[in-house]
Amino acid sequence: DFSEKQKFLNTVYEKFFQGFAVKVADTMGIVYTPPSIVRFMIASIRELLKKEFGKELGADGVHIIDPFTGTGNFLVHLMRELPTAALKKKYAGELWANEIMLLPYYIAAQNLEHEYFERIGSYEPFPGLCLVDTFELAEPGHGETLEMAFDLAKNTERVNAQKKAPIRVILGNPPYNANQQDENDNNKNRKYQHLDRRIKNTYSAESVATLRNKLSDPYIKSIRWASDRIGDEGIVAYVSNNSFIDDIQFDGMRKCLVEDFDDWDVGLLGRLV
């Protein structure tokens, strides 16, 4: 059945990059998130939305994005938690997902569109899926490389629509790669002028640590990006390691998180910031 096909595609995606595109896997931090963790995070988001904002998961205006969607597993599980009536509106314009690589992008489209078909009984292309580097969205001339390379007019429209959307919830599993596995690989993390400057002026500026190289990790960038993206109110739910909790290099980041957010919680399986 399709769930078996979905599991197979996810396995191929992860194993392929780890076995045959090691540098890409190293840079992108490719890893498949177990469903139990995804369900835990969605349940936590549901509880926080109701407790802190008085909103249901399927409420109008609650825009949700997975900025590093991979094969779309987070949004597939989220769609399963939405009431059928709410799913139609959410799917049409309040669910968003970004992916930078073509293989997982197409797998995500198949997974999300099939889930909608199973729930609603009719096929609709998912209009919230963008082929774009999430970190570029905050940069001048965002997404130009992908748009010029593939000439995707519809993709550009989706990216522009997403940039205007009032995102309330950000969830997903961001990439991890503070240091490449082999320093001789010439496979350094990509630089992002605006985002790197934001980290320098906040997390780094507030730090007393001598070494701060771990602040260049993409998952730190993802937290900085998400903190800025939700504006004055919202929820950021990420899977992450625990180094930012007590590592000296993240002292400035911890100070900023306390200032940026009214509350934050470390879950047993996932992290809610």
Side-chain angles (χ1 to χ4, degrees), residues 200-253:
K200 179 181 179 180
N201 293 338
T202 55
Y203 300 165
S204 182
E206 296 291 344
S207 177
V208 298
T210 302
L211 296 176
R212 304 171 193 174
N213 60 303
K214 290 184 179 179
L215 292 176
S216 64
D217 194 302
Y219 100 86
I220 302 301
K221 287 183 171 66
S222 73
I223 293 176
R224 180 68 272 172
W225 174 85
S227 301
D228 293 337
R229 184 63 179 87
I230 61 173
D232 293 334
E233 59 180 25
I235 298 172
V236 179
Y238 278 152
V239 179
S240 80
N241 60 41
N242 62 7
S243 58
F244 76 91
I245 296 176
D246 53 18
D247 193 309
I248 184 61
Q249 292 196 45
F250 300 107
D251 60 338
M253 178 181 175

Side-chain angles (χ1 to χ4, degrees), residues 47-60:
E47 180 180 344
L48 286 173
L49 274 174
K50 191 170 184 178
K51 176 184 176 183
E52 302 294 340
F53 302 104
K55 297 283 188 179
E56 298 294 336
L57 196 61
D60 290 350

Side-chain angles (χ1 to χ4, degrees), residues 17-182:
F17 280 103
Q18 290 180 350
F20 299 99
V22 179
K23 289 186 179 180
V24 176
D26 185 22
T27 302
M28 300 299 179
I30 293 172
V31 64
Y32 172 62
T33 310
S36 57
I37 294 180
V38 178
R39 290 193 295 267
F40 169 84
M41 294 170 67
I42 293 172
S44 300
I45 290 169
R46 182 197 297 275
E47 180 180 344
L48 286 173
L49 274 174
K50 191 170 184 178
K51 176 184 176 183
E52 302 294 340
F53 302 104
K55 297 283 188 179
E56 298 294 336
L57 196 61
D60 290 350
V62 179
H63 286 251
I64 303 171
I65 185 172
D66 178 356
F68 316 98
T69 202
T71 55
N73 290 298
F74 279 87
L75 288 193
V76 166
H77 283 277
L78 179 70
M79 289 168 64
R80 292 172 183 170
E81 297 297 321
L82 293 172
T84 302
L87 176 57
K88 288 186 176 181
K89 184 170 184 178
K90 279 279 181 288
Y91 187 86
E94 294 187 356
L95 293 181
W96 305 92
N98 294 338
E99 177 50 46
I100 191 174
M101 293 183 293
L102 277 172
L103 175 59
Y105 171 86
Y106 284 119
I107 296 176
Q110 177 178 329
N111 287 339
L112 292 162
E113 290 165 2
H114 183 83
E115 183 63 29
Y116 185 83
F117 176 79
E118 288 286 297
R119 289 286 306 279
I120 305 301
S122 61
Y123 171 80
E124 293 289 342
F126 179 48
L129 182 60
C130 300
L131 181 64
V132 70
D133 181 349
T134 290
F135 294 150
E136 277 193 355
L137 294 181
E139 302 293 317
H142 69 87
E144 286 183 354
T145 302
L146 288 174
E147 293 167 13
M148 292 174 63
F150 297 100
D151 194 25
L152 297 178
K154 288 185 178 180
N155 186 65
T156 303
E157 292 177 6
R158 292 176 179 183
V159 170
N160 290 333
Q162 182 193 124
K163 284 175 69 72
K164 297 176 183 178
I167 299 297
R168 177 64 64 89
V169 177
I170 298 175
L171 83 161
N173 190 345
Y176 310 82
N177 182 29
N179 302 297
Q180 63 187 58
Q181 292 180 359
D182 187 339

